[in-house]
Amino acid sequence: MRTRPLKVALLGCGVVGSEVARIMTTHAEDLAARIGAPVELAGVAVRRPGRVREGVPDELVTTDATALVKRGDIDVVVEVIGGIEPARTLITTAFEHGASVVSANKALLAQDGAALHAAAEQQGADLYYEAAVAGAIPLVRPLRESLAGDKVNRVLGIVNGTTNFILDRMDTSGAGYSEALDEATALGYAEADPTADVEGFDAAAKAAILAGIAFHTRVRLDDVHREGLTEVTAADIASAKRMGCTVKLLAICERAADGQSVTARVHPAMIPLSHPLASVREAYNAVFVEADAAGRLMFYGPGAGGPPTASAVLGDLVAACRNKLNGATGPGESAYTRLPVSPMGEVVTRYHISLDVADKPGVLAQVATVFAEHRVSIDTVRQSGKDGEASLVVVTHRARDAALSATVEALRRLDTVRGVASIMRVEGE
C-alpha cells in the first residue's frame, strides 16, 4: 500500500459535511484498505468558523475555500455547500489545480452539468455526484455504468422525501396540506422555507440529472416541466382513493416512442395502489427504471439526511481516490444522442378532472361534447348532485397533454360549469 495519503478538502461542514468527516475518521482503516492508500482530511472550508464541529480539528477549519482548493497537494475536493455560487467557481478552480471533485449539488449539476463535465475532462479529473440524487440510493452509478450497454426508456420515481411525507400524511390521516406540512417541519423533514421541495424545484433538478444520464443527452433544469403539490387537496386524495389510487409527486423522464426526443417532468399524479411506488411511505424515495434488456428495476431507500447522503459521498470518494492512484478517470458525460427535449404539451398522459356543474339535464352531454371536440376520449365519469349543484369527475384515456389542457380551458368557458375543482394526471398504469 502506498504510504503517502491521498488528501481530501471538504467544502461545507453542515449536516452532510460533518457526517462525511466523521466517517472518514472512524472508518479510516477500512477506507485505506478499500482504496489502496490512506485518505486524509486536509482542510474543511466553512462560513462560520466559531461553531464546535465534533471530530474536526480546529486547525483544519478555514473560511478561505478558494485557498483550500488551490492547494497543489489536494487530490479530491468534496463539495457539499450547495447552491450555484461560490460552488461553481470552487469546483472549476479545483479542476484547474489538479483535483477531482465529488459533489452533492443537484441544483448546480442540473444547471451547469455540461460545463462542469467539460472542465473535468479538460483537466483529466473526475466529477462524481451520486449524492446529488436520492441520497444513499445507488442510482447515478447504475445508470452511468451498470446500464451503459442497455437502452433506458423511462425513469419514474419519488425523489423528494419531504413531499412524499406530506402526501403520505394526507393519505393516511386525512390531514390537509398545511397541517401535513407543519408536521413535516416539526419533524425536520421540511426546511423553514420549504419552497424548493413543495414547489418541485428539488425534484426537477434531480429529474434533469437522471434524464441526461439515462438518455445520453443534455437536459437542463429549464427543460423540466415542474408543478408542485401546494394545490393538492384532501378532496383530491379522497377521489384518488375512490379510484383505487394514491397521490405522489413524481419525477418522470421518458424517451419518445419513436426514439427521436425525450421529456422530463415533475408533478403530482394519481397512481394505482397496485404500483410499487404507491407503497413508498414517509420520507423514503423510490425510482423505477425501465430498460430494453434489463426490464423493470426499482431502487428504494432513504433519499435524504446526513448519514444516507454521506454514504453516497463516501462511495464516490472511494472511486475518485482509486482513480487517482491508478492514473485513470471514471466515466464522464455521455451526451452523444443529442436528443431534443419535447415540451410538456407533447407528453401523452391521462387526466382526472373534477368539475362543479349545474345539476340539470344536458350538462353531461355538453361536457362530453367538449372532450370530443378536442379528440380526448373519456374513460369513466362519476356524477353526484344535490340542491341544484353537482360534482362531475371525469377520467380520460391517454391523450396529448396539450389536448387535455385545451379541453380544460374549454370546459371553464361553459356556462353550466361553475368551476374546475381540480386537475391531476394519472400515471403508472
Side-chain angles (χ1 to χ4, degrees):
M1 180 185 293
R2 147 177 155 164
T3 55
R4 185 185 78 78
L6 290 156
K7 294 193 176 183
V8 176
L10 179 60
L11 307 182
C13 200
V15 173
V16 176
S18 60
E19 190 66 16
V20 169
R22 184 192 69 80
I23 295 174
M24 286 186 64
T25 302
T26 58
H27 295 180
E29 291 186 7
D30 285 340
L31 290 172
R34 294 166 192 171
I35 293 168
V39 181
E40 175 185 296
L41 188 59
V44 181
V46 300
R47 291 173 182 162
R48 292 177 287 274
R51 288 185 175 181
V52 176
R53 294 173 173 86
E54 188 176 349
V56 178
D58 291 341
E59 62 269 19
L60 294 184
V61 176
T62 178
T63 57
D64 194 344
T66 301
L68 179 60
V69 299
K70 283 183 175 181
R71 281 175 47 177
D73 62 337
I74 298 296
D75 296 290
V76 180
V77 170
V78 174
E79 182 270 312
V80 288
I81 56 178
I84 305 302
E85 288 291 354
R88 174 171 49 197
T89 298
L90 292 170
I91 288 173
T92 54
T93 301
F95 288 143
E96 291 167 359
H97 287 79
S100 290
V101 172
V102 172
S103 176
N105 195 331
K106 52 189 168 287
L108 178 58
L109 288 158
Q111 179 173 306
D112 289 325
L116 295 178
H117 275 292
E121 182 178 4
Q122 183 177 7
Q123 301 297 332
D126 275 325
L127 173 62
Y128 282 99
Y129 45 91
E130 183 68 66
V133 181
I137 303 172
L139 186 58
V140 171
R141 187 171 284 111
L143 285 173
R144 290 175 85 181
E145 300 178 33
S146 303
L147 296 173
D150 206 341
K151 180 184 177 185
V152 176
N153 297 308
R154 195 171 194 231
V155 179
L156 165 73
I158 298 162
V159 295
N160 182 274
T162 301
T163 53
N164 198 58
F165 179 89
I166 292 170
L167 290 170
D168 183 42
R169 279 294 183 269
M170 292 176 71
D171 180 73
T172 57
S173 70
Y177 166 75
S178 296
E179 184 182 350
L181 174 59
D182 288 344
E183 184 178 356
T185 303
L187 292 172
Y189 292 129
E191 301 287 345
D193 179 1
T195 302
D197 293 321
V198 300
E199 294 293 354
F201 289 101
D202 175 85
K206 295 169 182 175
I209 295 169
L210 292 175
I213 299 170
F215 307 133
H216 303 277
T217 194
R218 288 178 178 171
V219 179
R220 289 170 51 90
L221 179 59
D222 293 344
D223 296 322
V224 181
H225 175 83
R226 176 192 54 80
E227 298 173 26
L229 53 70
T230 55
E231 301 301 318
V232 176
T233 66
D236 293 326
I237 302 295
S239 188
K241 285 185 176 181
R242 285 193 290 269
M243 288 176 56
C245 293
T246 189
V247 177
K248 298 292 185 183
L249 186 78
L250 298 179
I252 305 172
C253 312
E254 294 177 303
R255 190 190 299 266
D258 62 6
Q260 298 305 303
S261 64
V262 300
T263 57
R265 51 195 167 107
V266 168
H267 54 73
M270 297 181 180
I271 58 172
L273 293 175
S274 58
H275 195 285
L277 290 179
S279 62
V280 178
R281 300 297 185 187
E282 300 286 333
Y284 276 75
N285 286 190
V287 178
F288 247 73
V289 176
E290 299 176 12
D292 275 359
R296 293 182 175 183
L297 308 172
M298 183 171 174
F299 300 83
Y300 170 84
T309 306
S311 171
V313 169
L314 267 295
D316 281 349
L317 178 63
V318 168
C321 287
R322 285 173 176 169
N323 290 342
K324 278 285 183 180
L325 282 181
N326 296 324
T329 55
E333 182 189 34
S334 176
Y336 72 93
T337 63
R338 299 183 181 179
L339 295 173
V341 182
S342 295
M344 185 64 190
E346 297 300 315
V347 169
V348 176
T349 185
R350 301 177 66 204
Y351 265 28
H352 172 282
I353 305 168
S354 180
L355 305 171
D356 294 328
V357 299
D359 189 11
K360 62 183 183 179
V363 173
L364 183 56
Q366 286 184 326
V367 169
T369 297
V370 170
F371 279 89
E373 288 173 346
H374 291 86
R375 305 179 66 83
V376 176
S377 175
I378 293 175
D379 182 16
T380 62
V381 178
R382 186 177 71 252
Q383 183 174 4
S384 61
K386 184 179 180 181
D387 299 330
E389 300 291 333
S391 174
L392 194 64
V393 175
V394 179
V395 179
T396 73
H397 286 293
R398 287 166 60 82
R400 288 177 62 247
D401 197 88
L404 291 162
S405 296
T407 301
V408 171
E409 291 307 308
L411 289 170
R412 295 184 195 273
R413 294 192 292 269
L414 288 179
D415 292 339
T416 52
V417 174
R418 307 289 171 79
V420 179
S422 71
I423 308 162
M424 193 169 294
R425 296 174 184 86
V426 182
E427 301 285 348
E429 296 178 309

